[in-house]
Amino acid sequence: MKLCNVFKIIITMAFSLAFSSNVFAEEKQAVGSSSDLAQQLEQLKSQVLQLNRELFILEEDLLFPASTQVALFVSVDTGQFFAIDSVEVKINDKDVAGFLYTKRQREALEQGGIQKLYLGNLKIGQYQLTAIFTGVDSEGRMVKRAAEYQFEKDDEALMIELKVVDNTKTYRSQVVVEEWVL
């Protein structure tokens, strides 16, 4: 609630600045030329855009501080033995993310793309991640591939990649979980 009030105050100040600049510009227009007014208006627009960028960065830092931030990513090895249709992710048995893939999105993943599936906050402690991938195997059957992963959240940002990789020895795919080290 306090964060909302801070944003309201900052936005009100920005509009007050814009309004007072417009009044000043109107007074000056009577004295000066219209090109001066246009130049002042452009400067005001630039200031408002800069303030908007700073507010966005402040909001991201306040909503997702690095000390509690957790990000989950999905990637696919080649998709030779498994064509991904959907994914469901739970942390401590609570649904946190799910996604249903289109053909185009699946192809993008198979060509090396990485999808940011989830961005959220977790307190410091132990957690269990469960990822369930649904798709079609190389013989056209609906199959599920799942992985469970225990992790500890400390006071730094945590990034976890869920990889669907092909295993050429078993002719099946499997889900591998990997923490990114920054």
Side-chain angles (χ1 to χ4, degrees):
M1 191 69 177
K2 291 180 182 180
L3 175 63
C4 218
N5 290 337
V6 170
F7 285 128
K8 287 179 183 177
I9 291 170
I10 293 173
I11 290 172
T12 303
M13 289 175 22
F15 284 122
S16 297
L17 174 67
F19 179 75
S20 64
S21 296
N22 284 341
V23 170
F24 176 74
E26 289 174 4
E27 290 175 0
K28 190 169 182 180
Q29 182 180 15
V31 178
S33 67
S34 63
S35 65
D36 289 339
L37 177 63
Q39 187 178 23
Q40 288 178 352
L41 188 58
E42 286 301 316
Q43 287 176 347
L44 181 61
K45 285 181 185 178
S46 174
Q47 290 172 349
V48 169
L49 287 174
Q50 180 64 31
L51 181 61
N52 189 30
R53 276 188 223 114
E54 291 172 4
L55 283 173
F56 178 75
I57 292 168
L58 176 63
E59 180 182 21
E60 286 292 313
D61 288 343
L62 290 173
L63 291 177
F64 302 107
S67 63
T68 63
Q69 189 178 77
V70 174
L72 301 177
F73 299 88
V74 173
S75 67
V76 175
D77 182 19
T78 59
Q80 185 178 8
F81 303 124
F82 183 80
I84 187 173
D85 280 337
S86 66
V87 62
E88 178 184 345
V89 178
K90 297 178 181 189
I91 296 179
N92 287 352
D93 293 325
K94 291 183 183 177
D95 290 329
V96 294
F99 198 82
L100 184 62
Y101 294 93
T102 64
K103 181 181 177 186
R104 194 170 181 184
Q105 291 166 331
R106 180 175 39 254
E107 290 171 353
L109 286 173
E110 290 170 358
Q111 293 175 4
I114 297 177
Q115 174 200 13
K116 183 195 283 187
L117 182 64
Y118 173 75
L119 177 64
N121 297 316
L122 291 177
K123 296 178 183 177
I124 294 173
Q126 293 281 349
Y127 293 92
Q128 178 167 337
L129 177 129
T130 305
I132 303 168
F133 290 85
T134 306
V136 180
D137 69 4
S138 58
E139 296 174 1
R141 296 177 297 206
M142 287 296 289
V143 293
K144 289 187 177 184
R145 298 287 181 252
E148 288 190 350
Y149 182 69
Q150 298 277 339
F151 66 93
E152 183 175 343
K153 176 68 180 94
D154 57 14
D155 62 347
E156 294 198 14
L158 177 65
M159 297 183 196
I160 299 174
E161 182 179 3
L162 305 169
K163 295 181 184 183
V164 179
V165 296
D166 289 337
N167 186 337
T168 55
K169 292 179 183 177
T170 62
Y171 297 103
R172 295 182 63 185
S173 60
Q174 62 189 40
V175 179
V176 176
V177 182
E178 182 178 297
E179 284 189 38
W180 289 356
V181 179
L182 301 177

